[in-house]
Each structure stands twice: as structure tokens, then as C-alpha cells.
Amino acid sequence: MERKRGYFITFEGADGCGKTTQAELLEKWLSKKGYKTLMTLEPGATDLGKNLRQILLHYEKPVSDEAEMFMYLADRAQHTQMVIKPALEDNKIVLCDRYTDSTVAYQGYGRGTDIEQINTLNEIATKGLKSDLTLLFDVESEVAQSRLGKTKDRLESQGMEFHKKVREGYIDIARKNPSRVKIVNANATIEEVFSNVKEIVGELLNI
Ligand code: TMP
């Protein structure tokens, strides 16, 4: 039977894991092969989301854990309905830099919000849309942090303990969702990491 929609691939991992570089390389590779692609991100792909991103990453006064979580979810709801679903219906391969797993890893494992509640809220925000494949770029927290520039945003400037919890959270997510989430060793050269990415995506697309 012919597939009725495109593919949804998400990129996950700690700040500094190199996922954005890999998403860009993959988009070029797929476009060259003639696939229609859409590269997008969370938070901040829509007009509404851009405003939320500014607050989420740069607001200087204290933000409650719940307010933070709901802003990520609001961004996701808008993004999924306005951008991701239409692109999938247009048979595009959507490459999304962060999605539902980021909220589970950062707000759940990192901040300590109940994971089951986050799963339910993610379900509401996305109306149940899940990725076909999630690439998790895994690297030691110290290495990831050392790759970041000197001016860190609100989330990046959380302590090492927070970042280690996020990393462990991601590994747990991969362990619980082995058919959807594939771990990529991000402690390697850009070329080596990309060769692994091509192998995994090639298997999904049968190329
Ligand atoms: P970025 O630097 O990859 O664009 O992501 C922005 C920051 O937002 C990053 O530190 C991870 C964080 N984040 C969450 O805490 N929860 C979420 O649901 C998402 C999408 C991002």
C-alpha cells in the first residue's frame, strides 16, 4: 500500500551534542536525493513560538517549573498543528530539532516533573503525533558543555548535575522506546556521526 504521508524524524540530545549540524547535513543529503524536506525546530518555529522561545531562553526573573513546561507545550501545540502536520500531509520528510522527548528529558528527568503527566500533556499538545524515528545524540555531559560558547542561555547555564540528569533521562527514554529512538554516539567527528545517521535514516527510508 502506498504511504499516505511523509516521514517525521526528530533530533534529540543535550545542549552541545551536535544534533543541529547533523540535521542540516541530513537535509542536504536528502534534498540531493530528490526528497522534499522541511527542517524545523522547537521551541520557536512559528511566530507565537518565537515569542515563547525568547522568554524561555532569556527571561531573567525566576520561572516556575510548571510555567516553563507549559510554554514548551504551547510552542509544540502551535508548531505541530500549523507546521509539522501540514508538511507531513504534503509528503515531506520533516526534520525536527527537538520535540516531545526534550520535555520528558529536561522538565521530567531534569526538573523532576512527573513523567506520566508530561506524557499525557505531550499527547494533548501533539494530538498524538509521534515521530517515526528519533535520533538521540549521546555524549558525556562534560564534553557537551565544553562545546558551548561562553554566553549560555537560561537552560544551558543550569549546573552539571542538571545536565547529567537530562542525559540519563534521554538514555532511559531510548531504553523504553527501542524501535523509535536510536542512540548515535556523538563523541566522534562530524563525518563519523553523519555516516551513522545516514545508515539509520537509510534503513527507515529503504535507500
Ligand atoms: P536548542 O538550544 O536546542 O534550540 O533548545 C533550546 C533549549 O530548550 C535547550 O536548552 C533545551 C530546552 N528545551 C526544554 O527544556 N524542553 C523542551 O521541551 C524543548 C523543546 C527544549
Side-chain angles (χ1 to χ4, degrees), residues 15 19-20 41-43 53 57 68 72 76 97-99 102-103 106-107 153 155-156:
D15 301 277
K19 64 184 167 41
T20 310
L41 84 166
E42 291 193 1
R53 183 180 176 94
L57 301 191
E68 179 182 278
Y72 281 115
R76 180 160 308 129
D97 191 342
R98 296 195 182 283
Y99 191 57
S102 281
T103 314
Y106 281 78
Q107 280 65 52
D153 65 38
L155 272 290
E156 287 169 352

